[in-house]
Amino acid sequence: MKKWLAGFSAVALSVGVLAGCGSDSTSGASSDTGSKEVVELKLGHVWPNSEIHAQAAEKFAEEVEELSNGQLKIDIFEDGTLGADKDLLEGLKVGTADIWVGGAGVLSGSSDTAKIFTVPFLFDDQKHFDKVFNGEIGQEVSEKILEESGYKVLSYWERGARWLTVNKEVKTPEDLAGLKIRVPESPVFVKSFEQLGAAPTPMSFGEVFTSMQQGVIDGQENPLSLIYNSKFNEVVDFLVKTEHVREPITLVISDTTFNKLSLEHQEILEKAANGNAKTYAAEEIISGDSEYLKKLQEAGMTLVEPDLAAFQAKLDGFVDKEFPEIKETFEKIRVAK
């Protein structure tokens, strides 16, 4: 269900949601068979509704409503209606949002463990990624994030590798020298692009198109689906196949809000988070990347296949030097092939 609200309306809805969760939690597990009051939760994200994960969020909401027989509903606020990723994540703690879905690296502002999500060249391929985040290591990472931040990861969704889009040809790290590259507000992104010689520029996603159009930044990096659906081909010419980061999409709720829900509703959220929406995202990413690449080239972008070995060599020892706190998790992931 989509709602486009702001100002007073959003605040009013937030109060209603908190009241609903509060009444649900007062009876604990017994509420599973008690009150039939409908509980509504606000889910926020920053993508246009044409993006794969925006559509996956819709499928998540549909499955939640179906599994709960309409007693638990997810209201979706898309395209940054409730704020940027950082605002949405912080909003989970104060009630301006209840669930956030977005790039996992945003969690690194609240959890040291979450810095692992955006380490460059961490995974050999998509199969390696899937083994980690659908297995024991992924569960360990989620548990540490919950302990450190109070945010509960309901699921990891596939996103696809991140590519660089830029206004000049980039084949080696030296070609990045001085280029202003928009990165998410994540210390790992900032430090890694600094080590590669670029000038990383943290910025809200909603500002990226205009900033490239006006020359404020020289480029950005994201998966092909988001590059295509955001029409970045209209403002930069080069598409560079770096595939430097395979960052999962996370579906996140605050532990406080989650624990206010009945046990039945908790189980429904977790089941739906790992159900149709997750399957849809994975299938669309796998089948769509080649099609998005073709469409971007047809739209005028020039494909560049850089010297990846040179990029990887430039980042040797990156975790040891900059983020020793995630070294143990890093090493577990590297051998989990």
Side-chain angles (χ1 to χ4, degrees):
M1 180 188 303
K2 299 180 186 175
K3 295 186 178 181
W4 295 82
L5 303 175
F8 176 79
S9 298
V11 173
L13 179 57
S14 177
V15 172
V17 168
L18 290 176
C21 287
S23 63
D24 206 42
S25 65
T26 56
S27 57
S30 64
S31 65
D32 292 352
T33 56
S35 172
K36 292 297 183 182
E37 180 181 1
V38 175
V39 175
E40 295 188 49
L41 299 174
K42 302 188 301 298
L43 181 154
H45 64 71
V46 300
W47 305 302
N49 61 15
S50 57
E51 213 281 324
I52 287 171
H53 298 95
Q55 294 170 17
E58 296 280 357
K59 294 184 180 301
F60 166 69
E62 291 167 5
E63 189 165 3
V64 166
E65 186 162 357
E66 180 181 347
L67 291 172
S68 68
N69 293 317
Q71 296 304 301
L72 180 60
K73 295 187 176 182
I74 308 295
D75 296 330
I76 295 178
F77 295 78
E78 62 191 26
D79 212 10
T81 308
L82 294 182
D85 280 316
K86 185 178 178 182
D87 303 320
L88 285 165
L89 189 59
E90 292 173 351
L92 302 189
K93 295 288 184 71
V94 298
T96 53
D98 299 301
I99 299 173
W100 166 74
V101 58
V106 180
L107 287 162
S108 61
S110 308
S111 160
D112 279 343
T113 299
K115 293 172 183 175
I116 197 66
F117 293 128
T118 51
V119 170
F121 303 110
L122 177 60
F123 297 101
D124 292 349
D125 50 32
Q126 195 63 42
K127 184 177 179 181
H128 184 191
F129 173 96
D130 291 340
K131 184 174 181 180
V132 168
F133 287 116
N134 293 328
E136 291 182 7
I137 297 176
Q139 184 59 40
E140 287 177 17
V141 168
S142 296
E143 289 169 359
K144 288 181 179 178
I145 290 172
L146 178 59
E147 181 180 341
E148 293 165 1
S149 67
Y151 292 120
K152 181 177 178 63
V153 177
L154 294 169
S155 184
Y156 296 108
W157 293 351
E158 235 169 80
R159 190 178 201 185
R162 299 174 81 97
W163 294 43
L164 179 67
T165 62
V166 70
N167 61 11
K168 64 168 283 188
E169 188 174 44
V170 172
K171 288 191 173 181
T172 68
E174 287 70 30
D175 295 329
L176 282 174
L179 292 184
K180 294 179 181 178
I181 305 298
R182 179 269 176 180
V183 295
E185 296 183 52
S186 157
V188 181
F189 269 119
V190 172
K191 289 292 185 181
S192 61
F193 271 87
E194 282 179 352
Q195 191 159 321
L196 287 170
T201 307
M203 179 184 293
S204 169
F205 181 76
E207 302 173 42
V208 175
F209 184 96
T210 301
S211 295
M212 287 196 292
Q213 187 178 48
Q214 296 176 349
V216 175
I217 56 175
D218 299 303
Q220 66 86 54
E221 49 75 63
N222 258 303
L224 289 175
S225 61
L226 195 53
I227 291 169
Y228 176 76
N229 284 305
S230 300
K231 300 182 179 180
F232 290 156
N233 58 282
E234 295 181 2
V235 288
V236 288
D237 295 328
F238 294 93
L239 179 63
V240 187
K241 190 180 180 180
T242 48
E243 296 186 315
H244 51 284
V245 167
R246 292 181 185 271
E247 175 195 18
I249 292 295
T250 46
L251 191 67
V252 177
I253 188 170
S254 81
D255 193 38
T256 301
T257 299
F258 186 75
N259 288 330
K260 285 181 179 179
L261 298 171
S262 68
L263 292 178
E264 180 185 9
H265 284 176
Q266 290 176 1
E267 291 171 359
I268 285 171
L269 280 184
E270 291 185 310
K271 184 174 182 180
N274 293 283
N276 295 336
K278 181 170 183 171
T279 300
Y280 171 82
E283 290 176 347
E284 289 295 308
I285 290 296
I286 292 169
S287 65
D289 268 5
S290 59
E291 186 65 23
Y292 286 125
L293 175 58
K294 180 181 177 183
K295 288 179 178 179
L296 287 166
Q297 290 179 280
E298 288 174 347
M301 295 199 84
T302 299
L303 173 65
V304 180
E305 300 198 40
D307 180 1
L308 292 183
F311 281 83
Q312 291 167 335
K314 192 82 171 177
L315 290 165
D316 277 351
F318 174 69
V319 170
D320 287 353
K321 176 186 174 184
E322 301 289 353
F323 301 100
E325 63 271 27
I326 58 171
K327 182 177 179 179
E328 181 180 353
T329 303
F330 172 79
E331 291 176 345
K332 282 184 179 181
I333 289 174
R334 286 303 302 151
V335 300
K337 302 176 184 178

